[in-house]
Amino acid sequence: AQSVTQPDIHITVSEGASLELRCNYSYGATPYLFWYVQSPGQGLQLLLKYFSGDTLVQGIKGFEAEFKRSQSSFNLRKPSVHWSDAAEYFCAVESGNKLVFGAGTILRVKS
Amino acid sequence: SAVISQKPSRDICQRGTSLTIQCQVDSQVTMMFWYRQQPGQSLTLIATANQGSEATYESGFVIDKFPISRPNLTFSTLTVSNMSPEDSSIYLCSVAERGRYNEQFFGPGTRLTVL
């Protein structure tokens, strides 16, 4: 069965510092991969997605992610974090029209 | 992308009662999904709701507990029946637009507390 692992439950970064959130997936074929963000009390917002082609994908809010097939990874990055980025981030893989989510990483931003 | 609303946004209910959650989309969509997010946990798919057919439930979820309606291409309801405190969760609906099944957009969620 397809699965997604987000190894970091919590991450704290300073405002202005760079960010990398890790995501590893288990999937037999070429995966469709997603990153979503959930701000407190809100639903999920799609940040970016990878279907095929260029392995570096750009998303909204200055985020990007790189698909590395050899490492089964799809890590999310941002060069300079803003306080408003504090939220929970979910990596997901599509499997048969369904999304399988990782456990999520809570990002805290300190000033 | 589709704009999705859910009602109610939150509710506090007594055990043994039922709550119906509504999901409304501003455009016609082929597939609608219902997820549960238990406190401090990730999202788990409850069922997929397609218009004109019975909902398809995931392992561990049954129709008697979570009946779903999908009367048209813009609306769905999820009922949480005979509630217990373990049903306290955020319930989210999502939609996938026609021809783009891989990409789902989520509603704001319904925060349910069962006492």
Side-chain angles (χ1 to χ4, degrees):
Chain A
Q2 291 71 27
S3 65
V4 177
T5 302
Q6 294 180 248
D8 304 306
I9 298 175
H10 297 99
I11 283 185
T12 300
V13 300
S14 298
E15 191 169 14
S18 63
L19 170 70
E20 182 169 31
L21 301 181
R22 296 183 291 165
C23 172
N24 293 95
Y25 65 89
S26 170
Y27 193 75
T30 300
Y32 294 162
L33 295 159
F34 305 84
W35 274 99
Y36 286 86
V37 60
Q38 185 178 36
S39 298
Q42 304 293 315
L44 273 70
Q45 182 180 21
L46 179 65
L47 284 176
L48 49 78
K49 58 186 181 288
Y50 172 78
F51 289 169
S52 64
D54 194 347
T55 56
L56 183 63
V57 294
Q58 303 296 321
I60 62 171
K61 304 185 178 185
F63 286 93
E64 66 179 26
E66 186 170 12
F67 170 63
K68 292 185 177 180
R69 183 187 300 277
S70 61
Q71 299 178 18
S72 297
S73 70
F74 188 57
N75 294 349
L76 182 71
R77 301 195 294 249
K78 186 170 185 177
S80 178
V81 169
H82 188 262
W83 65 266
S84 60
D85 293 323
E88 188 161 16
Y89 292 80
F90 293 95
C91 182
V93 63
E94 184 267 352
S95 173
N97 291 326
K98 306 170 189 175
L99 289 181
V100 176
F101 285 87
T105 297
I106 296 173
L107 173 65
R108 299 187 178 116
V109 180
K110 60 182 181 181
S111 56
Chain B
S1 61
V3 177
I4 306 156
S5 60
Q6 287 185 232
K7 291 182 181 178
S9 59
R10 59 178 62 228
D11 207 342
I12 301 173
C13 301
Q14 298 297 319
R15 72 169 66 213
T17 63
S18 298
L19 177 72
T20 295
I21 303 168
Q22 299 178 5
C23 179
Q24 179 76 53
V25 191
D26 68 344
S27 60
Q28 292 186 343
V29 292
T30 304
M31 303 180 79
M32 297 180 79
F33 305 86
W34 287 98
Y35 289 84
R36 181 176 71 181
Q37 186 179 20
Q38 294 178 299
Q41 298 194 27
S42 186
L43 285 79
T44 302
L45 180 64
I46 297 172
T48 302
N50 295 326
Q51 193 263 340
S53 63
E54 294 288 326
T56 302
Y57 289 83
E58 297 300 303
S59 176
F61 297 96
V62 295
I63 187 171
D64 290 346
K65 176 67 175 177
F66 297 101
I68 289 171
S69 77
R70 179 82 197 273
N72 56 52
L73 292 175
T74 63
F75 187 78
S76 178
T77 67
L78 169 76
T79 299
V80 187
S81 303
N82 188 25
M83 289 184 286
S84 67
E86 291 71 35
D87 294 319
S88 298
S89 296
I90 299 173
Y91 292 86
L92 300 105
C93 73
S94 73
V95 305
E97 297 176 325
R98 189 180 299 276
R100 299 180 67 180
Y101 296 159
N102 312 105
E103 189 170 321
Q104 294 184 27
F105 298 93
F106 284 79
T110 295
R111 184 179 294 272
L112 171 62
T113 302
V114 184
L115 303 177

